[in-house]
Structure formats: structure tokens, C-alpha cells
């Protein structure tokens, strides 16, 4: 009996160990396979690949800069729009709303994260894009049209639309992490501020100060999601590899370049260039996510220390 | 108190009122967006839903047609993904919970978390180079595999979390009776965590059902009912994408109807999971 | 005697659970009042009714009145923020903000707009730290994190923070319970010192501490006020048999 026990333990351990190992192997394989496929492109274009402004597959000219520009710009727009709203919701849920109200609201915000990307894209094409073409765009041009970013023709499809859709998609993610970090702030911090005659909002600022690195982690996590978001962006950004100031103009991101062109890339160098740019996206999101995780973890250890001290 | 003190106080209270109201506005706004999205899907989608739409295959523009083959394709590939992804993910989660308090466990945890954040289109590229290129064509198998890879780290982490909730005393009780570790895990810990693990599995299934990017060039699409895993396979999400980005009104209408079906399915899973767990889901 | 705070027929509830029953007592100005009693007797809950800190608990409700300088702080329309500025509080565990030592003390001054300029602010911070007997220990590192201080120093920092907004009353909820004997002694000396300028209400589970620092003592049990008398009398010749049993250690 004891014998079968140890033997059984060994088999059991081996099976679950193999499963755990498979996760590491998958990531290693992703890196290895993509790196190998990207070699022709890397050898041919070198580091200049990242700074080239032209993307002309027919002439075998591949520059990634317009896509990097589009990815960064759309993600920054998303963050600018999403951060205040996400913080606002999280503060409302943790600091203000009664529990009975906070739970269903939190759940509804989480449902936003469950809606598939392609659905956001569909909604973006047929609801948001016309809204921007008819109302939001003209409104912005009337009042802040002197800014280069709000000049030019408004088609509704372009950088701004992509940024807004991305903002909607990352808001539930940032909100949920910020909510967790705010809840982890010891209640004594709020009491200390209140006892000094702080208003509700002044107390909230103390809480935010306590949670600052966790909030940074939440934002970085949202950034990681925005950078890698594919379908919704592909559907509304216009897929045009150009670097222009106007946010109403079409643009393109790394992820949407891949989604729109990968299936047609039959030429070896074209495929290799696409995979190289995919590898860049992979490494960037990997680093962003790792960084976010470290920031969020640091909060957990800090609040534990505060509770003990 | 002087004049300035009261102005100061008034300003303070004003800021307080303004900011606390703004946070409520943020919450109301976000819920309004959710309602707007779901409402629009409902209104636009319901008008095109019919039995024929749910069972037919796509037809040339203007002749009707439906998404029966896409529903089947999504079901087959999701099942395949669950078939591969759930056992591997749950086993990995068991490892993390039961043996994972070492550097290897920490590495797996870290890699799993970052893999969860990797854009799913990257997984599509990976499977394309690994499976589609050697096979010479897109296939339902490749699509299902891509979805499985997306599921594994999610399922592993929720499984670990759920097993972590099983009281230690339960384990000790069994170990004290002389049961070997694997029996304790298999007969005591896993059953105790079963409903939580199932919950995580359902959420992972809901998540991959909505995935499009990893299927674009692995499963591609198909206009026919296809039961063979080595052939290109349609899916609801890729079909929605194709219809939505096409030029025809009738196809846009079909995209909304297919979306209604997809979103209903995903929301029902999420709401049921919420209903059955009082925990943080 | 001149009452700073006068409590009449106060009942307190957590949801449907009653935690305090019909409490009435008068707190004279510039004295130290100690609340003693076994844990769970309601002494901390009662303390927190005096600056309406229990408002932060959604299910809490109060009946009866707490008059401060003749005004009921539970009257509708009471400005709770202004009330808490007048009634400072020091908590069981020190809870400095994640800011520098200086900014911790300056916080209450800043939000309440008490200072006229930067020099005034610095002067007020210095005075508060001196009053809390902490100045000599921290004057060279005002800009370093408050978390670098020892437990006893952190608690005195929290007292300085409370003093800086010039309250009239200071509530202390077992302020020394997490401290070693030497740090405790410093806090006790400080309490006696502060009595000159402030009305102080201190909750303690340590009866010797109550005897050492307070002018009057209130003994609570099971949510009821059993006895409220000058400390001298309380510890030598209490009116109630229950008080005597508790003080002589026959229970609790």
C-alpha cells in the first residue's frame, strides 16, 4: 500500500510537473519559432527595420516605424481617456458607493471586459465612427481645431476612433486592478485623514497616495492590453501605414497590420518581415506585463508591511 | 475666522462635491456605454435572427443564407481547445498550488501571467508557422490549438487560486490517515475545489469563444458545414469580422445577428458564473 | 463643573445589534477622562461616537444626543468635517501617511488652511512636534519617510499630527497598546502634559494606565456605563460592586 503510494506520488508529480513545464515551453517555443522565421528579415534590414518609414511589400521595402507610431499613439490616446474614468469608477466603487450598489456596478463594468474584441470593432464601425464623423469630430474642430491633431478631413475611421475604442476596452481592466489596490489600503489611513477634518475627497487623495504604485501597475497593465489589441483596432483604424499629425486620419498598428496582411503574405521576405514586427510586439507586451506585475506585487508587500507596522 | 477662511472652506467643500460627483459620473457613464453597446446589438441583431439564419450556410449576397456552419465551427474548435487546454491547464494549476512554492513554480507563475497578456494574434502567428505552414493549409485543428494555448495559462492560474481556497485542515485530515499525496489531491482537494475550477474553466471557454485574431490565419473561414479538423473551418467571430468589414448592408445585418448570438452566449456564461459564486468573479 | 461634552441617553446600533445602552455622562474641559472595561464592552465604540467616526460604518445608527459646547453633534446639518477638526483622534495602531515626517504633521494644517504662509506652516509643524515630545528626535530628518520611525515615535508623530490642527478635544483609542513600556511611559507623560491645553478622552485596557494619567474614569461593561467617578475614588472606593470586582481583577 505504502509502495503504491510513493509510486503513485511520483507519477502524479511527473504529470502535473509536465503540465506546468508546458507553459514555459510554449513561451520558449513562441520566441524560438518567431525568432527563426524573422531571421531573413533581420539579416536583410538590420536595425533600420524599426526606423524605416516606408512599407511597400511589392518592392520588398519594409519599415516598421508607421506601425510603431500607430501603436504608441493609439495606446496613449486610450490611456489619456481611460485613466481618469477608470480611477473615477474605482474610487466611486471603493470609497463612495454603498456595498449594495457597488457590487452590481462593479459586475457591469467587468462585463465590458467580457465583450469580444470583434464586437467592439463592429460597434466601432457602425456606431462610434458615424458619431465621430457627424458630431465629435466637427465639435473638436470648432473648438480646438487650431491644434494640428484635430485638422483635416473627418471620415470617422482613423486614429482617434481606434483610441476611443481602446479606451473603452481597457477601462474595465484598469478599474478592476485599481479597485483591488484601493481595497488593500488599510482602513486606518482613511480614519487618520477623516479624524483631522479631511473631506471625503481629501481622504480619497490620501488613499490614492497609499496606492500609487499599484495604480501605476494597473495603468501599465492597461497599456499592455491596448498595445496588443487587434480586431477592434483593425476594424476602425483604417489600416493605412502613414505618420501624420491628424488623429482623424487613418493609421495602422502592429497588431492590425498582422491581422490584415498575414494571410496574404506568401512571399518569404514579406512573411519574415511580418513575423519580425510580430516579435517586436510580443517582446514589448511581455516586458510591459512583467513590469505591471512587479508594480502590483510591490503594493501587496507594502500594504502587508503597513498592516504589521 | 476671517473672510478668507470662509472662502477657503467654501472652495474646499466645492472641490469635494465636484470630485465626488465626478466619480459617480464616471460610473454612470461606463454603465451607459455598456447599455448602449448591448442595446444596439439587441436592436440591430434581433431583426435578422431566424431559424434559417441559424442553420443555413452563407449564400451569395442577396440570397439570404446563415451562420450554421460558423456556429458549428466555433463549437468544434472551442471543444477541441477545451479538450487540450483544460487538462493541461488544470494539471499545471495543481502543480502550482501543491508543489509550486519554489523557484520553478514562481517562474511558471510569472511566465503564465505574462502569457495571458500576450496579444492573441501572436499565438495565431505561432500556430501558423508551427502547424499551418508544414500542413500546407489552414485547419480547424490549428484554430483549436491556438485557442487551447490561450486557455492554458488562464485555467492554470484560476485552478491554483481555487485550490488555494481549500482549507489546509482538510488536507491534513487526509494526510494524517496515511493517504499518499496524490490521493489527497485527487480525492480530497480537487473535489473540494471542483466548482471553483469549473467556474474558471467556463470563463476561459467564454473568453476563447470570443477570440478572433488567433483564428484569422489558422482556421481561416469556410462557406460550408465542415466536420473535418484538417480542413479550414468557419467561426462566428471570423464570420462577424468578414461581414462587418464587407460593403453590403445585408451582410452588416447578418454581422449584428451573429453578434447578438455570440454576446448572449458569453454574457449568459458570465452571469451564471457570477450567480453561482459569491466570490470575486 | 464646566462640561466640554455632555452625552445624554445615547444608544448605538450596528445594524440591529445594540452596542451601547443609554449612556449619559459629562466630560469636563481640560481634564483627562479614561474609559476602561473588558474588551468588547463598547468603550471604543463610545469613543468613536464623540467625533462621529462611526459614520464611516454604513450600518451604524445612533439615538440620543452628544452635546459639545451646548450643540448636539448629531443634529441634522452638523458639519462633520468641521467637527472632526475640533475633535482630534489618535488610533490604537499608529497610522502615519506614506509621506515625510514633516508632511504628515503639515497635512492637517494644509487641508484646513490654518497657516498663513510657508514660515508659519513650518513653525506650526515644529510646535506640534515639540508638544508631542518628538522634535528633538526628528528635527534633523523632517524630510525622511515617517515609516522609518520606531513604533513609539510613529505614535507620537500621529499625536503631533492631531495637535497641529489645534483641536479642542483629543480622543485616544488605546494609544499605547502596541508599544513597549518605555514608549508607553513617554505617551503617558505626554497625555498629562497635554491636559493643560486640551480635553483628552483615552480608552485603555490597562487599568494602571488609567489610574496614572486620568482625572476621571468611566467603567463600561456589555455596552453599559457602570460607573463614572473621579479616578481617585474609582480605584479606592468605587460605588459599584462590579467596578470593584473588575479593578481588583476578579474577572475580565
Amino acid at each position: 500500500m505504502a509502495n503504491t503510494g510513493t509510486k503513485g506520488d511520483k507519477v502524479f508529480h511527473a504529470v502535473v510537473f509536465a503540465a506546468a513545464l508546458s507553459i514555459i515551453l510554449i513561451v520558449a517555443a513562441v520566441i524560438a519559432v518567431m525568432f527563426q522565421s524573422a531571421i531573413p528579415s533581420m539579416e536583410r534590414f538590420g536595425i533600420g527595420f524599426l526606423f524605416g518609414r516606408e512599407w511597400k511589400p511589392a518592392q520588398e521595402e519594409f519599415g516598421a516605424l508607421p506601425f510603431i507610431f500607430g501603436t504608441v499613439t493609439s495606446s496613449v490616446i486610450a490611456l489619456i481617456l481611460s485613466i481618469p474614468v477608470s480611477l473615477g469608477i474605482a474610487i466611486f466603487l471603493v470609497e463612495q458607493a454603498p456595498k449594495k450598489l457597488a457590487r452590481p456596478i462593479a459586475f457591469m463594468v467587468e462585463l465590458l471586459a467580457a465583450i469580444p474584441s470583434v464586437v467592439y470593432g463592429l460597434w466601432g464601425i457602425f456606431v462610434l465612427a458615424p458619431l465621430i464623423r457627424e458630431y465629435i469630430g466637427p465639435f473638436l474642430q470648432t473648438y480646438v481645431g487650431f491644434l494640428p491633431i484635430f485638422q483635416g478631413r473627418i471620415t470617422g475611421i482613423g486614429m482617434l476612433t481606434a483610441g476611443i475604442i481602446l479606451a473603452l476596452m481597457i477601462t474595465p481592466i484598469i478599474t478592476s486592478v485599481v479597485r483591488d489596490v484601493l481595497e488593500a489600503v488599510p482602513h486606518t489611513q482613511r480614519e487618520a485623514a477623516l479624524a483631522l477634518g479631511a473631506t471625503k475627497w481629501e481622504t480619497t487623495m490620501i488613499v490614492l497616495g497609499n496606492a500609487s504604485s499599484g495604480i501605476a501597475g494597473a495603468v501599465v497593465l492597461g497599456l499592455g492590453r491596448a498595445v496588443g489589441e487587434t480586431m477592434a483596432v483593425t476594424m476602425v483604424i483604417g489600416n493605412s501605414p502613414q505618420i501624420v499629425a491628424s488623429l482623424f486620419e487613418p493609421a495602422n498598428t502592429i497588431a492590425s497590420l498582422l491581422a490584415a496582411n498575414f494571410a496574404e503574405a506568401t512571399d518569404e521576405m514579406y512573411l519574415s518581415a511580418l513575423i519580425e514586427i510580430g516579435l517586436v510586439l510580443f517582446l514589448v507586451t511581455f516586458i510591459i506585463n512583467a513590469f505591471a506585475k512587479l508594480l502590483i506585487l510591490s503594493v501587496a508587500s507594502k500594504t502587508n508591511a503597513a498592516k504589521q507596522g | 475666522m476671517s473672510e478668507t477662511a470662509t472662502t477657503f472652506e467654501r472652495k474646499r467643500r466645492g472641490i469635494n462635491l465636484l470630485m465626488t460627483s465626478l466619480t459617480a459620473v464616471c460610473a454612470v457613464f461606463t454603465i451607459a456605454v455598456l447599455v448602449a453597446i448591448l442595446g444596439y446589438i439587441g436592436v440591430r441583431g434581433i431583426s435578422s435572427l431566424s431559424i434559417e439564419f441559424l442553420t443555413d450556410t452563407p449564400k451569395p449576397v442577396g440570397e439570404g443564407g446563415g451562420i450554421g456552419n460558423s456556429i458549428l465551427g466555433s463549437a468544434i474548435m472551442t471543444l477541441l481547445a477545451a479538450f487540450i487546454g483544460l487538462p493541461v491547464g488544470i494539471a499545471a494549476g495543481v502543480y502550482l498550488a501543491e508543489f509550486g512554492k519554489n523557484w520553478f513554480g514562481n517562474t511558471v507563475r510569472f511566465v503564465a501571467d505574462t502569457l495571458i497578456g500576450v496579444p492573441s494574434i501572436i499565438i495565431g502567428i505561432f500556430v501558423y508557422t508551427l502547424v499551418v505552414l508544414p500542413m500546407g493549409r489552414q485547419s480547424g485543428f490549428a484554430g483549436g490549438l491556438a485557442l487551447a494555448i490561450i486557455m492554458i495559462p488562464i485555467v492554470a492560474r484560476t485552478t491554483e487560486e481555487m485550490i488555494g481556497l481549500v482549507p489546509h485542515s482538510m488536507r491534513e485530515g487526509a494526510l494524517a490517515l496515511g493517504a499518499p499525496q496524490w490521493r489527497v489531491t485527487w480525492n480530497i482537494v480537487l473535489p473540494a475545489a471542483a466548482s471553483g475550477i469549473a467556474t474558471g474553466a467556463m470563463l476561459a471557454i467564454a473568453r476563447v469563444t470570443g477570440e478572433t485574431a488567433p483564428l484569422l490565419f489558422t482556421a481561416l473561414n469556410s462557406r460550408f458545414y465542415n466536420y473535418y479538423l484538417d480542413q479550414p473551418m468557419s467561426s462566428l467571430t471570423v464570420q462577424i469580422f468578414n461581414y462587418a468589414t464587407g460593403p453590403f448592408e445585408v451582410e452588416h445585418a447578418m454581422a449584428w445577428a451573429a453578434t447578438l448570438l455570440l454576446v448572449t452566449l458569453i454574457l449568459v456564461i458570465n452571469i451564471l458564473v457570477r450567480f453561482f459564486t459569491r466570490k470575486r468573479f | 463643573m464646566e462640561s466640554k461634552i455632555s452625552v445624554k441617553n445615547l444608544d448605538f446600533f450596528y445594524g440591529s445589534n445594540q452596542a451601547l445602552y443609554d449612556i449619559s455622562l459629562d466630560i469636563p474641559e481640560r481634564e483627562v477622562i479614561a474609559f476602561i472595561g473588558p474588551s468588547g464592552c463598547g468603550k471604543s465604540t463610545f469613543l468613536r461616537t464623540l467625533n462621529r467616526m462611526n459614520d464611516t460604518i454604513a450600518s451604524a445608527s445612533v439615538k440620543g444626543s452628544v452635546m459639545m459646547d451646548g450643540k448636539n453633534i448629531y443634529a441634522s446639518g452638523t458639519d462633520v468635517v468641521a467637527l472632526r477638526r475640533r475633535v482630534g483622534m489618535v488610533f490604537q495602531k499608529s497610522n502615519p501617511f506614506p509621506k515625510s515626517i514633516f508632511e504628515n504633521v503639515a497635512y492637517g494644517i494644509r487641508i484646513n488652511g490654518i497657516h498663513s504662509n510657508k514660515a508659519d506652516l513650518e513653525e506650526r509643524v515644529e510646535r506640534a512636534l515639540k508638544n508631542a515630545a518628538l522634535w528633538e528626535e526628528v528635527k534633523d530628518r523632517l524630510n525622511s519617510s515617517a515609516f522609518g520611525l520606531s513604533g513609539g515615535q510613529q505614535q507620537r508623530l500621529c499625536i503631533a499630527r492631531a495637535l497641529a490642527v489645534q483641536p479642542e478635544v483629543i480622543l485616544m483609542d488605546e494609544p499605547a497598546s502596541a508599544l513597549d513600556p518605555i514608549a508607553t511611559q513617554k505617551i503617558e507623560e505626554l497625555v498629562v502634559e497635554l491636559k493643560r491645553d486640551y480635553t483628552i478622552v483615552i480608552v485603555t485596557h490597562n487599568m494602571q494606565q488609567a489610574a496614572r494619567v486620568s482625572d476621571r474614569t468611566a467603567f463600561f461593561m456589555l455596552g453599559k456605563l457602570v460607573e463614572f467617578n473621579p479616578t481617585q475614588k474609582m480605584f479606592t472606593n468605587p460605588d459599584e460592586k462590579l467596578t470593584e470586582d473588575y479593578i481588583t481583577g476578579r474577572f475580565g
Side-chain angles (χ1 to χ4, degrees):
Chain A
M1 188 65 206
N3 225 353
T4 57
T6 45
K7 196 181 168 199
D9 272 351
K10 273 183 188 153
V11 173
F12 177 72
H13 185 272
V15 168
V16 295
F17 176 81
L21 185 63
S22 78
I23 293 177
I24 293 183
L25 291 181
I26 288 170
V27 172
V30 170
I31 296 172
V33 164
M34 290 183 71
F35 191 81
Q36 208 212 346
S37 309
I39 285 176
S41 165
M42 288 190 218
E43 280 178 345
R44 173 105 168 249
F45 306 110
I47 191 78
F49 178 78
L50 296 177
F51 306 106
R53 286 173 142 251
E54 299 296 327
W55 183 270
K56 291 174 181 154
Q59 284 97 339
E60 289 218 338
E61 207 179 321
F62 298 106
L65 196 61
F67 308 103
I68 295 172
F69 168 79
T71 304
V72 171
T73 311
S74 58
S75 302
V76 168
I77 296 172
L79 285 183
I80 290 172
L81 296 175
S82 174
I83 290 171
V85 176
S86 305
L87 283 179
I89 305 168
I91 290 168
F92 180 74
L93 293 176
V94 178
E95 306 294 326
Q96 278 160 259
K99 277 258 158 12
K100 272 182 191 159
L101 193 62
R103 275 162 187 259
I105 293 178
F107 178 58
M108 282 197 265
V109 175
E110 274 165 33
L111 277 188
L112 270 178
I115 295 176
S117 177
V118 71
V119 176
Y120 277 101
L122 180 74
W123 193 79
I125 292 177
F126 296 109
V127 182
L128 186 62
L131 213 60
I132 287 182
R133 188 172 54 233
E134 306 294 334
Y135 302 101
I136 299 174
F139 175 85
L140 288 172
Q141 281 195 333
T142 310
Y143 292 99
V144 281
F146 57 90
L147 293 172
I149 54 170
F150 294 125
Q151 283 167 4
R153 205 166 59 89
I154 308 166
T155 60
I157 293 293
M159 188 76 95
L160 182 65
T161 316
I164 294 176
I165 285 280
L166 281 177
L168 291 179
M169 297 180 77
I170 64 174
T171 294
I173 293 158
I174 299 181
T175 302
S176 125
V177 179
V178 173
R179 223 179 88 213
D180 286 349
V181 285
L182 293 189
E183 271 167 2
V185 173
H187 197 66
T188 52
Q189 286 286 317
R190 295 175 180 87
E191 293 193 329
L194 289 173
L196 292 169
T199 61
K200 192 81 215 178
W201 180 250
E202 286 157 355
T203 307
T204 300
M205 294 310 284
I206 285 288
V207 174
L208 292 185
N210 273 274
S212 54
S213 66
I215 293 170
V219 169
V220 174
L221 199 69
L223 173 68
R225 189 60 65 91
V227 163
E229 189 44 62
T230 310
M231 297 315 297
V233 175
T234 306
M235 293 162 83
V236 300
I237 201 167
N239 298 312
S240 164
Q242 55 176 351
I243 303 179
V244 288
S246 173
L247 300 182
F248 296 129
E249 287 282 331
N252 212 345
T253 67
I254 296 176
S256 50
L257 166 77
L258 295 172
N261 297 290
F262 200 85
E264 281 105 60
T266 41
D267 172 62
E268 196 215 4
M269 191 52 73
Y270 189 10
L271 195 65
S272 180
L274 283 174
I275 292 180
E276 184 180 351
I277 202 169
L279 188 62
V280 171
L281 177 66
F282 173 80
L283 294 177
V284 167
T285 49
F286 202 97
I287 292 166
I288 290 175
N289 283 306
F291 186 51
K293 201 186 168 194
L294 290 177
L295 281 170
I296 295 167
L297 277 180
S298 79
V299 181
S301 53
K302 205 170 91 183
T303 49
N304 281 343
K307 270 173 199 162
Q308 281 155 15
Chain B
M1 290 283 155
S2 64
E3 187 88 336
T4 51
T6 48
T7 347
F8 179 83
E9 277 305 298
R10 210 173 296 141
K11 195 176 146 202
R12 238 183 116 195
R13 307 307 163 96
I15 289 173
N16 181 51
L17 188 67
L18 176 74
M19 296 312 286
T20 47
S21 321
L22 274 182
T23 63
V25 169
C26 288
V28 170
F29 170 77
T30 308
I31 287 170
V33 169
L34 177 73
V35 171
I37 292 176
L38 296 184
Y40 210 85
I41 293 170
V43 170
R44 288 293 301 266
I46 199 92
S47 54
S48 305
L49 269 188
S50 65
I51 297 294
E52 295 77 54
F53 178 73
L54 295 177
T55 54
D56 264 6
T57 54
K59 288 189 179 142
V61 176
E63 294 175 29
I67 53 165
N69 61 326
S70 307
I71 297 173
L72 179 76
S74 277
I76 290 176
M77 286 189 287
T78 305
L79 276 179
L80 177 64
F83 194 71
I84 303 169
L86 290 185
V88 177
I90 291 172
V94 168
Y95 178 86
L96 289 176
E98 302 288 64
F99 311 104
K101 303 271 180 287
N102 50 27
W103 69 268
F104 179 73
N106 289 336
T107 312
V108 171
R109 222 169 269 127
F110 186 79
V111 171
D113 282 351
T114 34
L115 182 57
I116 289 173
V118 164
S120 54
I121 190 145
I122 299 291
I123 306 300
I125 293 178
F126 172 63
V127 172
Y128 179 86
T129 29
L130 203 70
V131 179
V132 176
L133 282 184
M135 260 176 81
R137 66 164 170 262
Q138 280 89 351
S139 63
F141 171 73
L145 185 65
L147 297 184
I149 291 175
I150 292 166
M151 275 180 94
I152 289 170
I154 302 175
V155 173
R157 293 295 268 137
T158 46
T159 301
E160 185 196 0
E161 196 178 323
M162 290 307 153
I163 290 177
L165 296 177
V166 175
H168 203 66
S169 54
M170 249 188 200
R171 246 173 267 251
E172 284 173 341
L175 283 171
L177 294 173
Q181 167 90 47
W182 71 275
R183 279 207 171 278
V184 175
T185 305
W186 191 255
N187 295 344
I188 311 288
V189 177
L190 278 181
S195 66
I197 294 173
T199 300
M202 287 311 294
L203 288 177
I205 287 172
R207 155 89 196 270
V208 300
T209 309
E211 282 290 350
T212 316
L215 299 178
L216 278 177
F217 26 84
T218 54
L220 203 67
N221 202 348
S222 157
R223 300 186 71 81
F224 312 105
Y225 271 107
N226 169 23
Y227 306 91
Y228 302 101
L229 282 174
D230 63 340
Q231 300 289 329
M233 196 173 269
S234 182
S235 60
L236 269 175
T237 49
V238 172
Q239 194 62 277
I240 291 170
F241 175 62
N242 288 342
Y243 280 155
T245 49
F248 302 108
E249 278 290 326
V250 277
E251 291 193 345
H252 298 164
M254 293 205 278
W256 284 108
T259 298
L260 176 59
L261 187 72
L262 177 70
V263 168
T264 307
L265 177 75
I266 289 171
L267 290 195
V268 164
I269 292 176
N270 273 276
I271 291 167
L272 282 182
V273 161
R274 172 76 173 193
F275 193 73
F276 285 118
T277 50
R278 298 280 135 185
K279 299 227 60 85
R280 39 175 300 142
F281 285 104
Chain C
M1 71 193 184
E2 187 67 24
S3 285
K4 181 71 184 169
I5 298 173
S6 171
V7 181
K8 286 218 170 58
N9 308 112
L10 187 95
D11 292 318
F12 184 86
F13 306 83
Y14 289 113
S16 56
N17 292 332
Q18 189 159 1
L20 294 174
Y21 298 84
D22 196 32
I23 310 273
S24 296
L25 99 182
D26 286 327
I27 296 172
E29 197 160 12
R30 287 170 218 252
E31 282 196 9
V32 177
I33 312 298
F35 292 175
I36 61 169
S39 20
C41 67
K43 56 190 190 292
S44 282
T45 302
F46 181 59
L47 185 79
R48 294 162 61 94
T49 60
L50 301 181
N51 65 344
R52 291 188 58 174
M53 200 49 111
N54 289 318
D55 287 15
T56 60
I57 301 159
S59 64
S61 60
V62 170
K63 264 194 251 165
S65 68
V66 176
M67 311 295 278
M68 189 171 154
D69 295 335
K71 276 190 186 156
N72 185 2
I73 65 170
Y74 283 95
S76 63
T78 301
D79 185 342
V80 183
V81 169
L83 167 74
R84 292 194 186 125
R85 202 191 127 180
R86 295 171 63 201
V87 186
M89 189 165 191
V90 176
F91 298 83
Q92 189 167 358
K93 275 186 179 170
S94 59
N95 49 3
F97 299 132
K99 297 170 182 276
S100 69
I101 293 168
F102 181 88
E103 284 303 325
N104 261 281
V105 183
Y107 177 77
I109 305 174
R110 282 190 204 277
I111 59 164
N112 288 300
I114 296 170
H115 59 300
S116 51
N117 56 40
K118 194 162 176 286
D120 183 36
L121 177 71
E122 281 166 4
E123 198 192 308
R124 284 169 188 275
V125 169
E126 182 179 336
R127 203 182 316 142
L129 283 167
K130 278 181 176 158
N131 286 340
L134 190 60
W135 175 251
E136 290 303 322
E137 292 159 64
V138 300
K139 65 181 177 193
D140 299 324
R141 46 169 172 157
L142 289 175
N143 291 319
S144 52
S145 168
F147 291 140
L149 298 173
S150 73
Q153 288 173 325
Q154 286 192 15
Q155 191 61 296
R156 274 179 285 145
L157 178 70
C158 292
I159 293 174
R161 187 175 64 184
L163 296 178
V165 297
Q166 301 171 312
E168 297 154 35
V169 181
I170 301 175
L171 310 177
M172 296 185 169
D173 190 357
E174 304 200 22
S177 66
L179 303 180
D180 60 70
I182 293 169
T184 301
Q185 193 194 341
K186 281 197 171 154
I187 301 275
E188 286 182 11
E189 285 165 9
L190 184 57
V191 168
V192 175
E193 185 72 17
L194 290 171
K195 186 171 80 171
R196 281 192 313 205
D197 300 312
Y198 305 94
T199 305
I200 296 173
V201 185
I202 181 167
V203 165
T204 177
H205 61 265
N206 177 342
M207 275 174 291
Q208 301 316 313
Q209 188 170 71
R212 283 192 298 263
V213 303
S214 71
D215 302 298
R216 289 164 209 270
T217 300
F219 171 50
F220 289 84
M221 220 178 103
L222 298 171
K224 289 178 180 138
L225 176 61
V226 178
E227 181 170 351
F228 180 46
N229 264 320
T231 302
Q232 191 85 38
K233 175 173 167 55
M234 195 84 163
F235 283 87
T236 51
N237 179 26
D239 291 336
E240 302 288 330
K241 174 85 170 53
L242 261 177
T243 315
E244 190 179 342
D245 287 350
Y246 181 68
I247 286 168
T248 51
R250 254 168 257 168
F251 71 88

